[in-house]
Amino acid sequence: MNAERQTVYRWSFIWSGALVALVGAVLLGVAISQADAWARVSGMLGLSGLGWGGILQTLNALGLTAMRSSAVESVAALPGQRFLFAGAVVWLVGWVLIAGGIRRAPPSSEGPSPAAGAQLYPRLANYRDFYWSTLGAYGGGILLSELVLILLQTFLSNGGGASAEGKGLPPVGAFAISLIAASLVAFVAGFIGASRARRLAMPEATIGVIYLGLPVPVLLSLMERLPDLQVSLGYRLREVTYVAELLGRPVVGYWLVFSLLVLMLVLGINTGFIAAGSGRVDLKLGFELFVARRHVGVFRPSLLLGTLAVLLFGIIPPLIVYGIIRAVEAAVERTRIRALGLEDPLAAASALNRLKLREQSPTMMMTALSVGGVGVGVMSLIIVLSVMSGFEQDLQQKILGAHSHVVVTKYAGHLREYPRLMEQIAKVPGVVGQSPSIDNPVMVLADDEVQGIVLKGIDPETVGTVLDLPQNMLPGGSLENLTHPEKIVPRRSLGGFGLREPEQTEEEFDPIIGRPTKSAEEQALPGIILGRELAAILRVVVGDRVNVISPQGAELGPAGLIPKSRAFRVAGIFYSGMYEYDAKFAYILLSEAQSLFGTEGPSGIELKVADVDDARRIASQVRKELGGYPYNARDWGEIHRNIFSALRLEKLVMGIILSIIIVVAAGLIVATVIMLVLEKRKEISVLKALGVSDGGIVKIFLSEGLQIGLAGGLLGLFSGLAWCFFIEKVGIKLDPSVYYIPALPVKIEPVQTALAVIIAVLVTYLASIYPALKASSVEPVEGLKAE
Amino acid sequence: MSLLSIRNVFKSYFLHGKRIDVLRDVTLEINRGELVSLVGASGAGKSTFLHVLGTLDPPAAGELLFEGRSVFAMNDAEIAEFRNRTIGFVFQSHYLLPEFSALENVAMPALIQRRDRGESYAYARELLERVGLGARVEHRPGELSGGEAQRVALARALVLKPAVLLADEPTGNLDPATGEGIHQLLREVNRDLGITAVVVTHNETLARSMPRRLRLVGGQVTDA
Ligand SMILES: Nc1ncnc2c1ncn2[C@@H]1O[C@H](COP(=O)(O)OP(=O)(O)OP(=O)(O)O)[C@@H](O)[C@H]1O
Ligand SMILES: [Mg+2]
C-alpha cells in the first residue's frame, strides 16, 4: 500500500470516528433529556471539562460502594435507558475508530538501519518532555498570584469600612497595588518556569492554570450562588467582593482579573523562553532591532503621517490629498527628468527607472493596514471611554451637588443630640462641612397640580457647606427667605398678572384639611424652596402658595387619621441641572420639617469631605469617632451604588466590545508577521547559519509585531486625544430635550487612556508570539535547500 | 589533536516509507590548517555532509568533536555561538540578505556577536576591498553580479576569522575564469590566515590541486 493511500485511510478513519462519536454524544444527550437529568448531570459535565469529573466520579463511586449495604437494591428503570446504552456503545466505537486512525505507519520496509546500536546524538538523548519543576512554577505561580492579590487587597485596604485593621488605603488604590504585585508574581513565575524548561512548556502551563489557577475564581463565582459559602467566606473576602462589585457584576470582575493574571503568566513564559530558553539570559536587542527594522519599516514618516491622517479625517479626504500630492510630485519629477535628459540621457534613464521601482510590496501594505487597525481600535477605545467618563463625571457632579458626600444616621430614632455629634465629627480630618437634615416623601399641591416629591428640612446656616443649593438658587428668591418668611413678597402685590384669579374671600376653605384658614396674604407662611422643574409642573413662582401633605406625622381627625397638611410660600427656586432633582426636591426649614413630620430631631447629618474619592474611608473614620452602633455613616458611593455600578458595567462592556477591534487588528498582525516569516524563510536560515540563535530569531519577529503594535497604539493615542480635545473644545451639541446636558461631555482619564494603549501593545505582542515561534523553528538547512 | 573529528555519523532521510541512507558511519579527522577538497557524484550527500560538519543539520547518530569537545551536546545558544565564531560558510548560491547592503552583509556575523558597529564596518570594508569590491560596498545583493555576490559571501564568511571555512560548490554558477579567481582567494585565505577549509567541488582538476582530497561514495567518505 503506498503512502498516499495510507494517509487517506488514516484520515477517513479519524473523521468517521469523530462523526460516530458525535452521534453517540447526541444519543447520550437524548437519553439525558428523556430522564430529565440535565440539571443533575450538568455539574459533572462541567467538571469533566476541567478534567476533574473522572476523579470525582471515582470518589463518588467508591463512596457508593461503601454505602451499598444499606442502599436500596432495586433501582427504577430510567426512561431513556435504551438510548443510554446505544449512545455509550456508539460513542466508544467512535473513539475506537479514531484510535485506529492515529496508529502510526510502519517506518520502513527495508529492514533495520545500519545505524542500529550507534550512539544517539546527544541532544536527542538529553531530551525531556515534562518538567515537574516547571509545572510547579506555573501552577504555583498562578495560585500564588491570586492569593497575593486577595491577601494584599485585604491587608492594604480599610476593610470595607467597618473593621479597624488594615492599612486604610482606599479600596481602589489598594486593588491597583495588589493587582500590580500579583501580575508581577505571575510574570516571574512564568519566566522562571520557562527558563528552567528552556522551552514554552505548554502542557505544563495548561495543567498548572487549570488545576491550580481555576479553583479560586470558580470559588468566588460560586459564592454568589451558594449562601453557605458566602457566609463562611464572605466576611474575609468582603474587600475583594467590594472591589469586584464596583464593576456592577462581580463575576465579570473575577474572571477579568483571572484572565489578566493568566496573560501575565503567558507573557512571563514567553519572555523567559526568549531570554533564557536557549541556555542563558540575553535581553539585548540591538542586532535584532537592526534586522527587524529592515523587514518592516513602520517608523517612517510617510506611513505614520498617512495613518494618522486617516485616523483623524477618515479615509476619503486623506486619499484625495494623497492622490493630488502624488500627481503633482510625479509631474514635477517628470519635468525634472526631462530637463535632465537633455543634458545627460543616462542619468535621466536611471532616474526614470527608480521612479517606476518605487512600488509598495504586499507586506508593506499589510503592515500599514495592521498599524491602522490597531490605531482605530485604540482611538475608538479612548474616545468612547472618555465620553463615558464624561457622562459619569457629569452625573457624579450633579448627584453630589444635590446630595452630600457622607450621611450620618442612627439605626433607630432621631439625632436629637446632633450638636454634640457635629462637634465630634468636626474632629475627623477630611470633613469640611456638615449640616443636619431630615427628609421624607410628601405630596405637594398648588391649585390643580399635584406632585409627589422628597421634602427636605435643612439648616440654612450650614447647608451651604455641604450642598450647592445656595449657588443653585435662581434670582428672585433666596435661602434667607426660609428663616425670614415675612420677607417673601406675595405674588399679588407684584402686580397680579398671574394666570389665577386672585383669592376672593378673607376666610379660605382648605379642601384637604377640611378647615377654614386665613387668607394667604395675611398669614406669614413658612417658606419652601422648589426645583425649577417642580415649579414648572406646579405652575408656581416665588411668592405663590403651595400645600404640602405628609403621610408622616398624621393627625387624628374626625374621620380617623388625616395626613398632615401645611401651607408654604415659595421662597425661592433652584436649578441644579439634573432633571431628577429639579423635579423631585423641595427644601424647608429644619424646624418646620420637624414639626411637620413630628420628629424631635434631624434624621441625619450630612457631611462634605475634601476628597470625594476618599469619602468611603472618611465615612468609616466618622463611624469610628462616633463609636459605631447606633450611629452609621454611609458615603455617596454606597448610597447611589446602583446607578454608578450600572454606569461602570456599561463602560466595561463598551471597553470589551471595542477591544474586539484591537483583537481583529491583532489578527491582522498575526497574518502580517506570518507573511513576513514565509517571505523570509531563506533569510531566517541564513541568519541561523551565521549564528543567530532561536531566541534571536524570536526576538526579531516579536519586535516586528511589537513595532506595529507600538506604532498603532501611539497613533491611536494621538488621534484619540485629538478627537477628545475636539469634542471638548468645539463640542458636539446634544438634544436638550433628551439629555439635559448641552454638549457631549468628555473626561480624559490618564490611567484609563494609558491602559488602552498598554492593552493594545500587549495584545499585539501576544499576537506575534506564534509567528515568531514559527520563524524560530525554521531549520537552517530548510531555507538553504529551497531554491 | 585534530581540529575536527567526525565519529560514526549517520544521516538518513525517510520519504514515503523509503529510507535514503546519505551518510553511513562516517568517521574522519580534519587537522588544523588543512585545505581539503570533497568530490562525489550529484546526490551523493556532499551538501548533507557539509551541513553536518557546519552544525546546520544534526546527524541521526554519531558525534562531531571540535578540539575534542562534542558540539551537538551543547545547547542551542552555544551551538549558535559556535557557528558564529568558528565556522564560515560559502554556499552554492550566495545567500546574501537582500535588505542589507554588501557592507552590512559582510559585517553581519560581527553584528550578531554585538561587536562595535563602526569597527565591524571598517573591517568589512577592508575585506571587500581585498576581494576587489571596494566600489560596490553600498550595493544591495540585487544590484550585484553573481560572481560579485559570491565574493561578498566569501568576505562575509571570513569577517570573524573563523577556524573553519566550509564552501559548498562556491563556483558552481560561475564562469571558469571567475571561478578560478574564487579558488585562488580560498587558497590565499588558507595560506595567509591559516584557516582550515573544506571545499566541495565538481571540478576534478581543481580538486586535484588541493593538498588533501576526499571522496564521498555510497555514504562513506574516504581519502582519495
Ligand atoms: N530533505 C530531504 N528529504 C529527503 N531526501 C533528501 C533531503 N535532502 C536531501 N535528500 C536526498 O539526500 C541525498 C543527498 O543530497 P545532497 O544535497 O547532500 O547531495 P549533493 O551531494 O550535495 O548533490 P549535488 O552535488 O547535486 O549538490 C540526495 O539523494 C537527496 O535526494
Ligand atoms: Mg549539494
Side-chain angles (χ1 to χ4, degrees):
Chain A
M1 185 171 15
N2 69 29
E4 280 94 51
R5 294 242 326 254
Q6 207 170 28
T7 316
V8 172
Y9 279 126
R10 285 231 301 271
W11 278 108
S12 31
F13 261 99
I14 289 177
W15 279 109
S16 54
L19 277 179
V20 171
L22 193 69
V23 171
V26 171
L27 284 176
L28 286 175
V30 171
I32 294 174
S33 302
Q34 285 204 343
D36 239 346
W38 277 111
R40 263 187 294 159
V41 177
S42 56
M44 263 312 157
L45 285 180
L47 285 174
S48 306
L50 301 180
W52 290 336
I55 300 170
L56 288 190
Q57 284 286 32
T58 315
L59 288 179
N60 198 9
L62 284 179
L64 280 182
T65 332
M67 287 182 358
R68 184 135 179 202
S69 50
S70 61
V72 189
E73 281 300 313
S74 69
V75 178
L78 282 169
Q81 220 165 25
R82 264 180 306 136
F83 282 110
L84 193 67
F85 284 123
V89 168
V90 173
W91 165 261
L92 281 179
V93 166
W95 280 107
V96 168
L97 278 176
I98 292 176
I102 26 188
R103 184 175 44 97
R104 292 225 30 97
S108 172
S109 47
E110 295 174 12
S113 98
Q119 185 191 3
L120 204 59
Y121 122 80
R123 292 185 80 188
L124 198 60
N126 293 336
Y127 182 75
R128 273 170 68 187
D129 47 23
F130 195 87
Y131 287 83
W132 283 100
S133 57
T134 301
L135 173 63
Y138 291 171
I142 190 94
L143 185 64
L144 190 69
S145 69
E146 285 163 354
L147 293 181
V148 161
L149 178 65
I150 291 174
L151 294 180
L152 208 59
Q153 162 85 18
T154 317
F155 173 71
L156 284 179
S157 120
N158 58 8
S163 60
E165 73 262 29
K167 287 270 170 254
L169 285 173
V172 178
F175 176 70
I177 295 175
S178 329
L179 188 63
I180 290 171
S183 304
L184 270 180
V185 170
F187 184 87
V188 169
F191 190 97
I192 292 175
S195 31
R196 276 202 60 82
R198 289 180 188 172
R199 54 194 177 79
L200 290 176
M202 276 307 155
E204 286 91 333
T206 318
I207 294 173
V209 168
I210 288 182
Y211 281 89
L212 291 167
L214 272 183
V216 173
V218 167
L219 205 66
L220 286 175
S221 312
L222 282 181
M223 214 166 72
E224 296 279 294
R225 309 270 180 74
L226 305 178
D228 288 347
L229 203 60
Q230 206 161 7
V231 168
S232 60
L233 289 176
Y235 175 72
R236 300 194 180 288
L237 293 177
R238 195 180 40 206
E239 268 315 307
V240 178
T241 47
Y242 172 75
V243 173
E245 264 164 27
L246 286 183
L247 279 177
R249 186 128 336 166
V251 177
V252 178
Y254 304 142
W255 289 99
L256 266 183
V257 169
F258 176 67
S259 336
L260 189 83
L261 291 180
V262 172
L263 186 78
M264 291 312 290
L265 182 78
V266 170
L267 284 182
I269 291 174
N270 189 57
T271 316
F273 171 73
I274 298 168
S278 42
R280 69 205 148 110
V281 178
D282 178 8
L283 287 172
K284 285 194 219 114
L285 267 178
F287 166 73
E288 284 80 3
L289 276 180
F290 174 60
V291 176
R293 271 209 292 274
R294 287 294 167 86
H295 285 180
V296 284
V298 170
F299 290 100
R300 61 176 79 176
S302 58
L303 194 149
L304 290 184
L305 288 178
T307 318
L308 192 63
V310 169
L311 289 180
L312 286 179
F313 307 113
I315 290 183
I316 305 294
L319 215 59
I320 295 173
V321 173
Y322 175 74
I324 294 173
I325 291 178
R326 274 308 285 266
V328 171
E329 198 186 41
V332 169
E333 191 72 351
R334 269 172 223 283
T335 326
R336 192 183 68 81
I337 290 171
R338 186 131 37 97
L340 190 69
L342 294 178
E343 295 166 19
D344 184 356
L346 287 179
S350 154
L352 200 61
N353 219 14
R354 198 155 299 153
L355 199 66
K356 278 187 198 151
L357 273 178
R358 212 173 51 183
E359 266 174 27
Q360 276 157 342
S361 76
T363 348
M364 196 49 222
M365 286 302 292
M366 287 285 289
T367 308
L369 270 181
S370 326
V371 171
V374 176
V376 168
V378 172
M379 180 181 82
S380 42
L381 208 57
I382 288 176
I383 296 174
V384 171
L385 290 184
S386 297
V387 168
M388 294 187 80
S389 296
F391 271 115
E392 194 180 332
Q393 190 192 26
D394 190 71
L395 187 71
Q396 180 179 335
Q397 256 169 13
K398 281 175 178 160
I399 285 184
L400 292 182
H403 289 283
S404 53
H405 298 169
V406 176
V407 179
V408 176
T409 53
K410 201 170 170 182
Y411 280 106
H414 297 281
L415 294 165
R416 223 183 319 171
E417 63 280 33
Y418 74 91
R420 177 177 64 77
L421 295 181
M422 282 171 74
E423 265 168 45
Q424 266 182 297
I425 292 168
K427 283 188 238 155
V428 177
V431 176
V432 295
Q434 41 183 336
S435 176
S437 76
I438 182 169
D439 52 35
N440 265 313
V442 298
M443 288 222 295
V444 52
L445 287 90
D447 285 348
D448 307 333
E449 308 298 334
V450 178
Q451 181 77 353
I453 60 158
V454 174
L455 185 65
K456 203 160 167 181
I458 54 166
D459 172 18
E461 310 263 288
T462 53
V463 71
T465 63
V466 175
L467 303 181
D468 295 341
L469 190 60
Q471 294 93 285
N472 288 344
M473 295 300 297
L474 293 177
S478 93
L479 263 183
E480 277 112 69
N481 288 351
L482 284 184
T483 23
H484 307 286
E486 65 281 357
K487 284 193 192 161
I488 309 170
V489 191
R491 192 166 58 136
R492 213 168 54 169
S493 57
L494 284 172
F497 49 80
L499 290 165
R500 286 175 296 162
E501 290 284 301
E503 281 104 321
Q504 296 293 325
T505 47
E506 285 279 290
E507 286 279 295
E508 204 179 327
F509 187 78
D510 194 311
I512 292 176
I513 350 173
R515 270 182 275 184
T517 58
K518 264 205 253 168
S519 161
E521 280 85 341
E522 283 168 27
Q523 215 176 13
L525 293 174
I528 186 169
I529 291 173
L530 307 177
R532 192 183 76 171
E533 302 298 326
L534 181 59
I537 293 167
L538 298 174
R539 290 193 263 154
V540 295
V541 293
V542 174
D544 277 338
R545 188 188 134 141
V546 296
N547 278 311
V548 166
I549 299 165
S550 160
Q552 201 96 32
E555 292 167 330
L556 197 61
L561 275 178
I562 303 172
K564 217 175 201 172
S565 170
R566 282 285 163 86
F568 290 89
R569 199 173 291 287
V570 179
I573 288 172
F574 72 90
Y575 171 63
S576 70
M578 176 122 182
Y579 185 85
E580 277 298 302
Y581 297 122
D582 291 345
K584 292 282 178 215
F585 270 78
Y587 298 97
I588 58 172
L589 213 57
L590 185 64
S591 52
E592 292 291 338
Q594 284 181 29
S595 76
L596 175 64
F597 299 134
T599 67
E600 291 160 351
S603 59
I605 301 172
E606 307 198 342
L607 310 182
K608 184 178 182 136
V609 298
D611 178 7
V612 187
D613 299 316
D614 210 16
R616 190 178 167 77
R617 193 178 58 79
I618 293 174
S620 79
Q621 279 178 359
V622 166
R623 191 162 32 221
K624 224 187 294 174
E625 178 70 37
L626 296 180
Y629 188 85
Y631 302 110
N632 190 19
R634 295 191 307 155
D635 67 309
W636 61 275
E638 212 175 330
I639 298 168
H640 305 283
R641 187 153 85 189
N642 285 341
I643 185 155
F644 283 107
S645 65
L647 263 182
R648 295 216 175 97
L649 184 64
E650 202 181 349
K651 199 154 129 188
L652 182 76
V653 170
M654 279 312 282
I656 291 175
I657 290 174
L658 289 175
S659 302
I660 292 174
I661 303 182
I662 293 181
V663 171
V664 171
L668 263 178
I669 291 182
V670 173
T672 309
V673 181
I674 284 183
M675 256 178 75
L676 260 169
V677 171
L678 292 180
E679 205 180 284
K680 306 283 180 210
R681 280 177 91 80
K682 211 152 101 181
E683 276 87 343
I684 295 169
S685 293
V686 174
L687 283 172
K688 282 195 163 182
L690 295 181
V692 178
S693 63
D694 284 4
I697 303 283
V698 172
K699 276 192 233 172
I700 290 176
F701 285 90
L702 265 187
S703 52
E704 281 166 23
L706 212 53
Q707 275 183 59
I708 297 176
L710 216 57
L714 290 181
L715 287 179
L717 177 70
F718 284 133
S719 48
L721 289 181
W723 271 107
C724 284
F725 280 121
F726 174 80
I727 295 173
E728 203 173 12
K729 292 281 172 281
V730 179
I732 293 178
K733 295 270 171 293
L734 292 179
D735 182 355
S737 62
V738 180
Y739 283 104
Y740 218 73
I741 318 179
L744 207 59
V746 182
K747 186 191 177 211
I748 299 164
E749 281 184 24
V751 174
Q752 173 183 293
T753 309
L755 216 60
V757 179
I758 291 173
I759 286 180
V761 174
L762 278 188
V763 166
T764 52
Y765 179 80
L766 280 182
S768 19
I769 288 178
Y770 171 73
L773 289 176
K774 266 257 149 318
S776 80
S777 69
V778 171
E779 290 291 331
V781 279
E782 215 174 302
L784 298 179
K785 266 182 188 155
E787 272 298 283
Chain B
M1 183 171 39
S2 53
L3 186 70
L4 272 175
S5 36
I6 298 103
R7 302 256 170 88
N8 309 97
V9 163
F10 290 84
K11 182 87 189 171
S12 305
Y13 291 108
F14 286 95
L15 221 54
H16 308 316
K18 288 212 180 67
R19 198 181 68 225
I20 307 165
D21 295 320
V22 182
L23 301 176
R24 302 175 192 231
D25 207 357
V26 175
T27 299
L28 191 74
E29 306 278 321
I30 295 172
N31 294 314
R32 190 179 289 278
E34 273 188 322
L35 179 57
V36 185
S37 72
L38 175 65
V39 290
S42 179
K46 304 182 295 293
S47 299
T48 306
F49 177 66
L50 218 60
H51 288 154
V52 170
L53 215 54
T55 71
L56 292 182
D57 207 2
E63 252 186 327
L64 173 70
L65 302 178
F66 178 81
E67 290 178 336
R69 195 164 155 230
S70 173
V71 176
F72 283 110
M74 300 192 285
N75 67 40
D76 168 70
E78 286 166 341
I79 290 191
E81 198 180 326
F82 171 80
R83 220 180 270 154
N84 179 252
R85 283 166 198 262
T86 320
I87 298 193
F89 282 105
V90 183
F91 301 104
Q92 197 156 0
S93 84
H94 58 76
Y95 291 124
L96 296 175
L97 300 170
E99 295 92 357
F100 297 89
S101 69
L103 185 70
E104 287 164 338
N105 261 295
V106 173
M108 196 60 74
L111 298 181
I112 291 172
Q113 228 187 65
R114 305 180 197 289
R115 294 242 181 128
D116 179 74
R117 224 171 259 199
E119 270 174 39
S120 313
Y121 285 150
Y123 186 58
R125 198 179 293 271
E126 206 181 303
L127 270 179
L128 276 174
E129 260 155 34
R130 212 168 139 192
V131 297
L133 290 175
R136 297 282 188 275
V137 283
E138 292 306 332
H139 284 233
R140 296 267 170 110
E143 299 155 354
L144 292 169
S145 81
E148 285 168 345
Q150 201 58 290
R151 275 184 280 167
V152 173
L154 183 60
R156 176 177 69 181
L158 295 175
V159 74
L160 287 178
K161 301 194 187 98
V164 184
L165 179 70
L166 303 175
D168 191 356
E169 295 182 54
T171 57
N173 292 332
L174 304 179
D175 65 283
T178 323
E180 183 44 44
I182 299 263
H183 281 281
Q184 194 54 45
L185 268 172
L186 281 174
R187 272 186 223 112
E188 271 175 41
V189 162
N190 172 253
R191 193 184 58 225
D192 300 346
L193 301 176
I195 292 177
T196 313
V198 180
V199 182
V200 172
T201 181
H202 277 301
N203 187 331
E204 286 286 339
T205 47
L206 222 121
R208 245 173 274 133
S209 73
M210 304 270 183
R212 184 177 173 194
R213 292 171 295 279
L214 296 176
R215 184 172 294 279
L216 209 175
V217 182
Q220 304 279 336
V221 180
T222 48
D223 273 287

